[in-house]
Amino acid sequence: MKPFALPTVKAVQYLYELHSQPSFGITLDGPVSHYDVFTLTAPKHVVIDIYR
């Protein structure tokens, strides 16, 4: 588990990989109104925007 000094995201943890697709868990602190997930292609990244 990797801790973060962010107001909403407390930690991120790699869970497992199935068929070459990794799964991660995100620990949040407090209520979240919504979130957006999208990918970038150059370089390849997954972006998660979390809104309170």
Side-chain angles (χ1 to χ4, degrees):
M1 187 174 336
K2 181 176 181 179
F4 290 92
L6 299 172
T8 303
V9 177
K10 292 301 172 190
V12 175
Q13 184 174 6
Y14 173 80
L15 299 174
Y16 61 89
E17 187 170 326
L18 181 64
H19 304 296
S20 299
Q21 294 190 14
S23 293
F24 292 87
I26 300 173
T27 304
L28 303 175
D29 182 28
V32 173
S33 62
H34 74 277
Y35 61 90
D36 295 321
V37 179
F38 57 94
T39 58
L40 302 177
T41 56
K44 292 185 178 183
H45 285 71
V46 174
V47 178
I48 304 171
D49 285 334
I50 300 170
Y51 302 92
R52 290 186 130 189

